[in-house]
Amino acid sequence: MTVVGPFGLSVRDQALEADVQTGLAAVEAGLLAATKSDVPFITEAAQHLVLAGGKRFRPLLVMLAAQFGDPYAPGIVPAAVVVELTHLATLYHDDVMDEADVRRGVPSANTRWGNSIAVLTGDFLFARASHTLADLGPEAVRIQSEAFERLVTGQILETAGPTDGRDPVDHYLDVLGGKTGSLVAVACRFGAMMAGADESVVDTLTQYGERLGVAFQLADDVLDIASDSHESGKTPGTDLREGIPTLPVLHLRAAAAAHGRPEDVELVALVDGDLTDDARHAEVLRRLRAHPALEQARRDTVRYAEEARAMLAPLPDGYAKSALAELCDAVVYRAG
């Protein structure tokens, strides 16, 4: 058994391991090439998060999905680079919106260089992703543009909040489908499509990726409350401090509204208060970690991961399918 990729994913076949490792190494080289500029400062800023590492979750999915066709097809590595560049670009923008101080265990770009440079660096990465994408053909451009529209729409809907009468949890899960599920789905779709897999296989892997992406983000929601910065590479409670309504908080609000328990109502009031105060922020984190809402969010994570696993059923058995199924377990494990 060999460990490869994020979360210690185990690959039990030497040929698959070699393909994945070779592909991810090529993606890494492609990311460095794509983030290099004639202006040294732009290179430094653009490579800030590339060099900080990361799970390379989306490129891994491209490599595994490609196993259902020709895993050596020439478009696979560039497609993985496109997806990861797009993801990295969104991180620069997200950190500005969230006023985050830490990303991947290093100071965020906005902390190091200010908001303007961080936003413009994200734009630079989007431009480089588009440049690479153009070589993959008009269908790939259309797929990526549709996913990017969904991603931005999800971010806007998150910022705007649910409309009157809309269940906040349902609204939030739709947001995650756009913000996270869309790009993870594209990773799976590109891998299979570039490898020349049958259309039914491409569709199956796309649906798998959508659900896995939502599970992945829900696990992040849990980690934002439950982990420390050493585990997550981010400052714990960042979303909480910025008033971003992640799933544990939404479940807390629903419980307070439905049952009116004084301790829940009090905790909601604390969440809605000024969490720039470190002591108050720490108190809210402590109480949320002990609240049933956190466990409920974990159960939701498991549900989406199991839906993703179920989508794999029509695919032919093999090591690639097993690895994709194991990723469902790995995502749940992240959430405890």
Side-chain angles (χ1 to χ4, degrees):
M1 182 177 72
T2 303
V3 173
V4 61
F7 327 126
L9 174 68
S10 60
V11 174
R12 295 172 174 83
D13 177 70
Q14 289 185 347
L16 176 57
E17 179 209 346
D19 286 347
V20 171
Q21 293 282 22
T22 300
L24 290 177
V27 170
E28 210 64 29
L31 289 172
L32 290 174
T35 51
K36 188 174 182 179
S37 167
D38 293 336
V39 181
F41 175 69
I42 294 178
T43 301
E44 181 185 7
Q47 292 186 350
H48 180 62
L49 290 183
V50 174
L51 296 175
K55 292 173 285 292
R56 303 294 188 253
F57 177 52
R58 292 154 189 82
L60 174 65
L61 286 169
V62 175
M63 298 304 146
L64 291 175
Q67 293 292 321
F68 295 89
D70 175 9
Y72 310 110
I76 293 167
V77 169
V81 170
V82 166
V83 173
E84 188 68 5
L85 282 175
T86 303
H87 171 59
L88 288 169
T90 66
L91 298 184
Y92 281 82
H93 289 180
D94 282 352
D95 285 346
V96 170
M97 294 181 66
D98 299 345
E99 299 179 12
D101 296 326
V102 177
R103 170 69 71 174
R104 295 184 171 175
V106 300
S108 61
N110 48 296
T111 297
R112 185 167 177 181
W113 294 293
N115 286 347
S116 293
I117 294 298
V119 170
L120 291 168
T121 302
D123 293 345
F124 176 81
L125 294 180
F126 283 131
R128 287 299 176 89
S130 297
H131 185 273
T132 302
L133 184 65
D135 294 331
L136 298 178
E139 177 68 3
V141 172
R142 182 186 64 79
I143 290 168
Q144 175 75 357
S145 65
E146 289 175 352
F148 190 47
E149 178 183 344
R150 286 189 62 205
L151 192 158
V152 173
T153 299
Q155 185 66 68
I156 292 171
L157 289 175
E158 179 181 68
T159 303
T163 55
D164 289 344
R166 181 84 198 278
D167 179 75
V169 171
D170 289 344
H171 169 83
Y172 183 64
L173 292 173
D174 283 348
V175 163
L176 295 192
K179 272 187 60 179
T180 305
S182 61
L183 195 57
V184 176
V186 164
C188 294
R189 186 172 184 178
F190 274 172
M193 188 176 84
M194 296 299 166
D198 291 344
E199 189 61 35
S200 62
V201 171
V202 175
D203 289 344
T204 293
L205 286 166
T206 301
Q207 293 179 58
Y208 160 85
E210 177 95 15
R211 287 159 179 79
L212 186 69
V214 174
F216 185 85
Q217 184 57 55
L218 291 179
D220 266 5
D221 283 3
V222 172
L223 286 170
D224 186 63
I225 302 298
S227 74
D228 58 32
S229 57
H230 174 73
E231 292 176 279
S232 64
K234 293 171 58 179
T235 303
T238 295
D239 292 338
L240 185 66
R241 193 187 293 273
E242 296 307 316
I244 297 171
T246 58
L247 196 61
V249 171
L250 292 175
H251 282 319
L252 166 67
R253 293 187 189 282
H259 307 294
R261 288 186 292 266
E263 60 271 27
D264 291 349
V265 173
E266 180 186 3
L267 183 52
V268 168
L270 285 170
V271 168
D272 290 339
D274 180 12
L275 295 184
T276 60
D277 178 78
D278 288 343
R280 184 185 185 114
H281 181 254
E283 172 66 10
V284 170
L285 272 178
R286 183 188 67 78
R287 292 176 64 171
L288 273 173
R289 286 167 178 168
H291 196 279
L294 185 62
E295 184 56 37
Q296 191 171 357
R298 285 194 176 100
R299 290 196 298 271
D300 290 329
T301 305
V302 171
R303 175 167 58 88
Y304 271 90
E306 288 304 317
E307 287 180 7
R309 187 199 309 277
M311 293 306 306
L312 296 172
L315 297 178
D317 291 336
Y319 290 113
K321 180 178 178 178
S322 297
L324 290 171
E326 188 170 327
L327 274 177
C328 298
D329 294 328
V331 165
V332 170
Y333 176 77
R334 291 174 70 232

